[in-house]
Amino acid sequence: MTSAVPGTLAALLCFLSLTAGALAQQPTLQPAGAIKPQGKTTEIKIGYLRAYAPRLTLSLLDAPPRDEGVAGANVAIGDNNTTGKFINQKFNLDVTEIKPEADAVQAFDDLIAKGDRYVVADLSAKQLLSIADIARDKGVLIFNVGATDDSLREEDCRINVFHIAPTRSMLADALAQYLMVKKWPNWVLIYGSHEQDHLYADALRRAAARFGGQIVAEKELKDTGTARRTDTGATQIQQQISVFTQDLPEHDVLLVADESEVFGTYVPYRTWTSRLVAGTAGLVASSWHPASEQWGGIQMQSRFLKTTGRRMLSKDMSAWTAVRAIGEATTRTNGDDPKKISDYIRSDDFSVAAFKGQKLTFRKWNLQLRQPILLGDTKSVVSTSPQEGYLHQVSELDTLGIDQPETKCVLK
């Protein structure tokens, strides 16, 4: 007969297991007593090109911080330099801003003139495409942290553009898997009238067809151009949303596609019937969550908060991951040759740890980063997709988004 492990020993073994898992998610650092090698230091210059303008949101709590994304990149620069000082590498970040509808080419050329050979891009799909081929011809690698358009990974894919931000199809699939696991298969879809709202609505339709969900009704809510917060009061909003959802058929979940931030925040708790809300409001799929603490995430969150004075958002994590991917590749290849860096990142040897329970890799067919997707509300992480039971012959992460047999991408 075998005896049970004493409580104290069991607790110790559990602690050691959790600690090992957390450490596996963190950047590789040199020991404190390591000797810095002699010789010339290689300076690795990374550009950060972002389209930015102050944006009014329906809730004051949702207003993006001024340094969204950039803060994550700066924290990663510090992480890279912690390792780089032991191998004579020094990382610098050049940040350039343009307006959301501005021409990105001149700003991009200015970064290249400074010697930046890697560019973290927080741009629209149109802006990113305008610089992609120029970057390719100049041997520059782009890391997309802002645009979620599937087209950038499909018919408009480029061999020098790596995508850190998840696609709309990945986000929609992550949500659909969870709803099906919970046995909530009947959905109503309401969507906004702007292009990005239609694109996310398309992703939700695709996810429904892929995983067996039924969209039993759809409605479009037109943007009438009002001043959002100032032109409506709480009572009027309550009445409008209630009336808008009054004639819907029986359903389990109300899906909202409102990336343009016109009405989505107002939907939960104001519908005609008491129903769950998910999509861009209610239960939201994202690449990161400010309350994520598993797999060493609490250490990342604490370090980010100490450095920046605020919580880490999805774009911060995407930018952090992009800069860390560059740092990991330059460390492993012991150099600063974009061609070698690109080849290494696309190889089977590359992975990057990003506090998500497993090391992340890029899909070779469209250069999209494989990653778990977090499902959360305003306070906590509710679940993480892929959900248990959704299997794949290569990686369960490939159950999220467009898989290789479906791809339209021809890297060039």
Side-chain angles (χ1 to χ4, degrees):
M1 177 182 293
T2 59
S3 59
V5 179
T8 301
L9 178 56
L12 177 60
L13 291 174
C14 180
F15 171 78
L16 291 174
S17 175
L18 291 173
T19 302
L23 290 174
Q25 291 297 308
Q26 300 187 50
T28 302
L29 304 178
Q30 295 292 330
I35 300 175
K36 182 178 179 179
Q38 301 298 312
K40 182 180 178 181
T41 297
T42 300
E43 186 177 13
I44 300 165
K45 303 188 70 174
I46 301 173
Y48 194 113
L49 181 55
R50 69 188 302 224
Y52 173 80
R55 181 167 60 90
L56 184 65
T57 56
L58 295 179
S59 169
L60 289 172
L61 298 179
D62 292 334
R66 182 65 177 81
D67 61 350
E68 183 184 22
V70 175
N74 277 321
V75 171
I77 287 289
D79 293 340
N80 285 357
N81 282 330
T82 298
T83 302
K85 66 184 179 181
F86 296 104
I87 55 175
N88 284 338
Q89 291 182 344
K90 179 175 175 55
F91 295 81
N92 291 311
L93 188 71
D94 294 319
V95 180
T96 296
E97 289 184 356
I98 60 174
K99 297 295 184 182
E101 302 302 324
D103 183 357
V105 174
Q106 184 59 58
F108 176 77
D109 286 340
D110 291 344
L111 285 174
I112 302 309
K114 294 179 182 179
D116 298 321
R117 307 170 81 185
Y118 313 93
V119 173
V120 178
D122 180 8
L123 303 170
S124 68
K126 181 180 178 180
Q127 289 170 324
L128 193 149
L129 278 176
S130 72
I131 64 173
D133 292 341
I134 299 172
R136 180 193 59 203
D137 295 342
K138 293 185 177 181
V140 174
L141 303 183
I142 297 175
F143 293 80
N144 168 33
V145 300
T148 58
D149 303 67
D150 283 88
S151 61
L152 291 175
R153 290 79 163 172
E154 295 303 311
E155 56 267 29
D156 293 326
C157 67
R158 297 293 188 273
I159 198 169
N160 61 312
V161 181
F162 294 89
H163 302 280
I164 308 297
T167 62
R168 289 186 178 92
S169 63
M170 291 171 66
L171 299 174
D173 285 355
L175 184 60
Q177 284 189 11
Y178 179 72
L179 298 182
M180 296 305 294
V181 165
K182 294 296 293 181
K183 302 188 186 307
W184 300 329
N186 298 313
W187 312 331
V188 163
L189 172 62
I190 61 175
Y191 55 94
S193 55
H194 294 275
E195 180 184 7
Q196 61 266 41
D197 306 329
H198 284 219
L199 289 172
Y200 189 50
D202 287 342
L204 290 169
R205 294 184 189 103
R206 174 187 174 275
R210 190 179 193 190
F211 297 109
Q214 298 294 321
I215 297 179
V216 297
E218 296 187 14
K219 293 187 75 173
E220 181 182 44
L221 200 157
K222 296 285 187 181
D223 182 3
T224 58
T226 57
R228 301 192 184 188
R229 287 202 301 262
T230 59
D231 286 353
T232 56
T235 301
Q236 185 178 359
I237 294 166
Q238 179 175 324
Q239 293 172 346
Q240 288 175 343
I241 296 299
S242 182
V243 170
F244 185 77
T245 58
Q246 182 176 0
D247 60 348
L248 297 176
E250 182 62 28
H251 58 284
D252 301 309
V253 180
L254 184 63
L255 296 180
V256 176
D258 178 39
E259 289 190 10
S260 51
E261 185 73 8
V262 172
F263 67 92
T265 300
Y266 295 147
V267 175
Y269 310 110
R270 296 181 175 95
T271 54
W272 183 265
T273 55
S274 55
R275 292 295 181 270
L276 298 169
V277 175
T280 59
L283 184 66
V284 178
S286 59
S287 60
W288 187 248
H289 193 286
S292 180
E293 57 184 350
Q294 287 186 293
W295 309 301
I298 189 65
Q299 299 169 22
M300 179 77 249
Q301 301 275 26
S302 298
R303 189 155 52 87
F304 186 86
L305 178 62
K306 182 178 180 180
T307 302
T308 67
R310 64 172 178 83
R311 296 294 179 184
M312 192 176 206
L313 304 177
S314 288
K315 194 168 290 183
D316 296 312
M317 175 51 82
S318 291
W320 182 90
T321 305
V323 175
R324 278 296 303 133
I326 297 168
E328 181 71 15
T330 54
T331 297
R332 299 297 181 182
T333 60
N334 195 29
D336 183 27
D337 181 351
K339 176 64 167 61
K340 291 182 179 179
I341 298 302
S342 177
D343 290 344
Y344 179 73
I345 290 177
R346 290 186 286 118
S347 74
D348 293 333
D349 296 327
F350 175 83
S351 65
V352 60
F355 305 95
K356 294 184 180 180
Q358 54 188 296
K359 292 184 177 181
L360 310 183
T361 60
F362 285 91
R363 291 170 176 156
K364 292 183 179 180
W365 63 89
N366 64 2
L367 305 186
Q368 169 64 51
L369 185 71
R370 295 181 174 96
Q371 57 191 292
I373 299 298
L374 307 184
L375 307 173
D377 57 14
T378 57
K379 294 292 186 181
S380 64
V381 177
V382 174
S383 186
T384 302
S385 290
Q387 297 292 313
E388 184 176 355
Y390 287 94
L391 305 178
H392 192 276
Q393 62 270 31
V394 176
S395 169
E396 291 179 5
L397 295 175
D398 286 340
T399 64
L400 304 178
I402 296 175
D403 200 1
Q404 186 170 10
E406 310 169 88
T407 189
K408 300 174 183 177
C409 174
V410 179
L411 292 171
K412 55 184 179 179

